[in-house]
Amino acid sequence: MIRGWYIGASGMNAQQERLNAISNNLANVDTAGYKRDVTVSKEFSQLLLRRVEADGVYKTPDGSYDVAPIVGTIGLGVETNENYTQFEQGSFRDTQTATDFALGGEGFFAVLTPNGERYTRNGNFILGKEGILETKEGYPVMGENGIIRLEDDKFHLDQDGMMYTKEGDLIDRVKIVRFDNERYLKKMGDNLWNSNVISGDAYIAEGMERPRIIQNYLEMSNVNVVNEMVKMIEVNRAYEANQKTIQSEDSMMSTLWTRVAVSR
């Protein structure tokens, strides 16, 4: 009977993880380039139930024999398996700002941070005091030849990422990178991503792998507020159901202990 407490508690913990992801998604609904998180849960390995005193022979997977046949299985609760990001394309917003870039397709801008190169979908850049194209946090945006430096915001950017001055001189090409397994990139805060062993190292996107870059636009988050609110309601209902399970188990145990005490 006490097993019910742990099953209910595991369900509450799993729903709490889902709620955290949904809350973060809603908090970033207006963040340019944000990609929503999804929480995936899995059940604990099931417990096999066997008859202790019964005729019959059961063959185990490793080839040995057991004289206690399996009655069935019982679940042991649920746990959070992983939190992963869905990289669906967000909608575009016209800003009429020359330093705003949007990516149409899969890929990431590369920016230079104190901890090394990091990656982002947020193209809301600014022109720094030293003529460096930067993120709002002050991280320089990388071109294929290094940090991008501009004289002013009177430049042109084509869809391949080539940047030209107003006189038509080539400045640099915006560095756009891809990964072998983008699903496993790690969020680092400030809408930045970092590679790891599973995702693979960044490489410059070329050809069909390279997304088009649209100047004067921003890619908004791919969070759907209505869907997230519906999920939040589902989570609250599931959390309450698990909570009531624990309360029912507690009431049953209380009754059992009281009656045992009285009978003695």
Side-chain angles (χ1 to χ4, degrees), residues 32 92-102 123-125 214-220:
F92 292 152
R93 187 183 73 187
D94 186 359
T95 64
Q96 293 299 314
T97 302
T99 54
D100 284 343
F101 306 156
N124 187 203
F125 303 134
I214 308 173
Q215 189 178 16
N216 302 316
Y217 282 81
L218 284 178
E219 180 195 10
M220 303 311 295

Side-chain angles (χ1 to χ4, degrees), residues 110-119 139-140 142 192-194:
V111 299
L112 186 62
T113 74
N115 297 317
E117 196 170 84
R118 296 293 183 267
Y119 313 98
Y139 303 135
M142 300 297 294
L192 299 177
W193 303 80
N194 191 17

Side-chain angles (χ1 to χ4, degrees), residues 211-226:
R212 60 193 178 101
I213 306 178
I214 308 173
Q215 189 178 16
N216 302 316
Y217 282 81
L218 284 178
E219 180 195 10
M220 303 311 295
S221 73
N222 63 355
V223 177
N224 185 306
V225 177
V226 175

Side-chain angles (χ1 to χ4, degrees), residues 180-196:
D180 293 332
N181 295 297
E182 294 173 349
R183 183 180 185 275
Y184 298 101
L185 290 172
K186 183 178 180 181
K187 284 188 174 182
M188 305 301 296
D190 293 330
N191 217 355
L192 299 177
W193 303 80
N194 191 17
S195 59
N196 51 58

Side-chain angles (χ1 to χ4, degrees), residues 98-161:
T99 54
D100 284 343
F101 306 156
L103 292 177
E106 298 179 352
F108 297 84
F109 298 107
V111 299
L112 186 62
T113 74
N115 297 317
E117 196 170 84
R118 296 293 183 267
Y119 313 98
T120 183
R121 293 278 302 189
N122 186 354
N124 187 203
F125 303 134
I126 59 174
L127 189 59
K129 294 181 179 179
E130 299 180 359
I132 298 175
L133 188 64
E134 306 173 339
T135 66
K136 294 288 187 179
E137 293 75 26
Y139 303 135
V141 180
M142 300 297 294
E144 294 184 1
N145 296 316
I147 294 174
I148 297 177
R149 300 179 184 274
L150 304 168
E151 294 181 358
D152 51 43
D153 60 358
K154 308 301 182 183
F155 66 92
H156 170 68
L157 179 74
D158 66 18
Q159 293 192 0
D160 192 48

